[in-house]
Amino acid sequence: MSSTVPGSPVNPSKGNMKKTDGTARPEIEVRGLHKSFGDNQVLRGIDLEIAPGEVVCVIGPSGSGKSTLLRCVNLLETPTAGQVFVGGSEVTHPDVDIDAVRRRIGMVFQQFNLFPHLSVTENLTLPQRRVLGRDKAQAAQIAAENLQRVGLSDKAGAYPSSLSGGQQQRVAIARALAMGPEVMLFDEPTSALDPELVGDVLAVMRMLADDGMTMMVVTHEMTFAREVADRVVFMDGGVIVEQGTPDQVIGNPQHDRTRHFLSRVLDPAAADVEEGKQG
Ligand SMILES: Nc1ncnc2c1ncn2[C@@H]1O[C@H](COP(=O)(O)OP(=O)(O)OP(=O)(O)O)[C@@H](O)[C@H]1O
Ligand SMILES: [Mg+2]
């Protein structure tokens, strides 16, 4: 599904290193992951391997643990039990350098979290300089390259408040990319956007997928999942209920829970009517 975009400036070779043939070492590996908040067992044994260059979309109802799973991968949450490996090294090891782990993992949230008092370029250069110790010229060069990637070179000097939500989210993606991550995690990156702005953000994510970036994407965008994902993972109640190709999971789900969820996401109005009848 992925192919290298001609003229793409970053990782042009990665698109060829596909994918789930079982031979490559997983880029992300989750083993027996549990996470509880007090008595609330949110993740109840997640096992998941993501190959280099693979795009995995995670879907499931609210509260099923999707965000918690992503947050455990980059240690924004500490797992209660289990292990997480990124690029073959265990990030859940007690002696791990958490900052070093986070440098390897880009994360994009529903809320863009840009600094309002900094220009677009400064939003991209500040973390490169603070976290990676790049000098000003190098950070600016890498910022410019990544703004070009997301189609926002003309906004380099603008402040976030003057940008649309979709543009701000693309800046947030460029900011993550400027750190040179091995993998990118997206947590509902288009959920806060007006519908007409969603497409530009998804186009940037599609470009990243085509460039061979390893991506884990929590999303309700079923069209995106169908077209871009190599694999769809359906979660409910803190476990993976089923997973497979988009055609398998979205097109021909095997479990009632998946079918019920999909019917609500794909046709919310009909689902509301159905619930109204029941209630
Ligand atoms: N920091 C926290 N402290 C306590 N409980 C939490 C915390 N983070 C998440 N939870 C609980 O964990 C459960 C799963 O939350 P999570 O955010 O992972 O779900 P989700 O699948 O991402 O849902 P949504 O689709 O609404 O984003 C919820 O019951 C939530 O209240
Ligand atoms: Mg969530």
Side-chain angles (χ1 to χ4, degrees):
M1 193 179 299
S2 292
S3 61
T4 304
V5 174
S8 171
V10 182
N11 291 341
S13 64
K14 269 195 83 187
N16 301 325
M17 308 176 28
K18 281 289 223 172
K19 254 177 178 170
T20 44
D21 60 2
T23 54
R25 180 190 70 192
E27 180 63 43
I28 301 173
E29 186 176 357
V30 175
R31 285 190 204 156
L33 184 66
H34 287 74
K35 175 67 183 176
S36 298
F37 296 103
D39 292 342
N40 186 6
Q41 288 186 42
V42 173
L43 299 179
R44 298 184 296 139
I46 301 281
D47 293 287
L48 186 63
E49 290 188 3
I50 301 179
E54 195 179 10
V55 178
V56 171
C57 283
V58 180
I59 63 173
S62 182
S64 57
K66 306 178 300 292
S67 296
T68 303
L69 172 60
L70 282 195
R71 292 168 62 81
C72 282
V73 170
N74 74 348
L75 299 182
L76 288 174
E77 300 288 356
T78 307
T80 310
Q83 294 170 298
V84 176
F85 298 80
V86 175
S89 54
E90 186 187 349
V91 304
T92 40
H93 193 281
D95 298 334
V96 80
D97 176 350
I98 290 184
D99 293 330
V101 169
R102 296 218 182 99
R103 263 175 243 148
R104 297 161 60 192
I105 304 172
M107 180 130 180
V108 175
F109 301 90
Q110 187 174 332
Q111 301 300 338
F112 333 116
N113 304 324
L114 300 176
F115 288 117
H117 60 291
L118 297 180
S119 71
V120 164
T121 291
E122 288 163 346
N123 265 281
L124 268 68
T125 54
L126 183 79
Q128 294 183 64
R129 300 192 65 194
R130 288 243 175 107
V131 178
L132 302 179
R134 287 180 183 151
D135 68 35
K136 196 173 179 180
Q138 191 189 15
Q141 164 73 24
I142 291 169
E145 285 169 13
N146 284 290
L147 285 177
Q148 186 184 13
R149 270 184 110 188
V150 302
L152 288 175
S153 296
D154 58 330
K155 300 295 184 188
Y159 283 82
S161 60
S162 71
L163 304 181
S164 73
Q167 290 170 332
Q168 291 186 54
Q169 189 61 298
R170 284 147 65 199
V171 172
I173 294 172
R175 176 183 57 184
L177 293 174
M179 305 298 281
E182 288 169 37
V183 308
M184 287 282 286
L185 311 179
F186 295 85
D187 193 354
E188 301 202 35
T190 60
S191 296
L193 301 179
D194 291 337
E196 72 270 21
L197 303 176
V198 167
D200 288 343
V201 172
L202 294 180
V204 166
M205 293 168 64
R206 185 187 299 260
M207 171 202 74
L208 280 181
D210 287 345
D211 282 356
M213 178 63 79
T214 307
M215 293 164 59
M216 207 170 156
V217 184
V218 174
T219 185
H220 293 297
E221 295 288 340
M222 291 302 138
T223 306
F224 176 83
R226 270 203 112 114
E227 292 175 8
V228 181
D230 298 295
R231 186 152 42 115
V232 173
V233 169
F234 173 69
M235 281 179 69
D236 195 10
V239 299
I240 294 174
V241 174
E242 65 179 297
Q243 57 178 308
T245 65
D247 277 350
Q248 287 169 338
V249 176
I250 300 174
N252 186 24
Q254 298 300 302
H255 290 260
D256 283 343
R257 283 196 277 176
T258 319
R259 279 192 282 270
H260 182 69
F261 170 76
L262 287 170
S263 69
R264 293 176 58 106
V265 173
L266 296 172
D267 191 356
D272 286 347
V273 170
E274 189 188 316
E275 306 252 312
K277 276 186 199 149
Q278 284 168 355

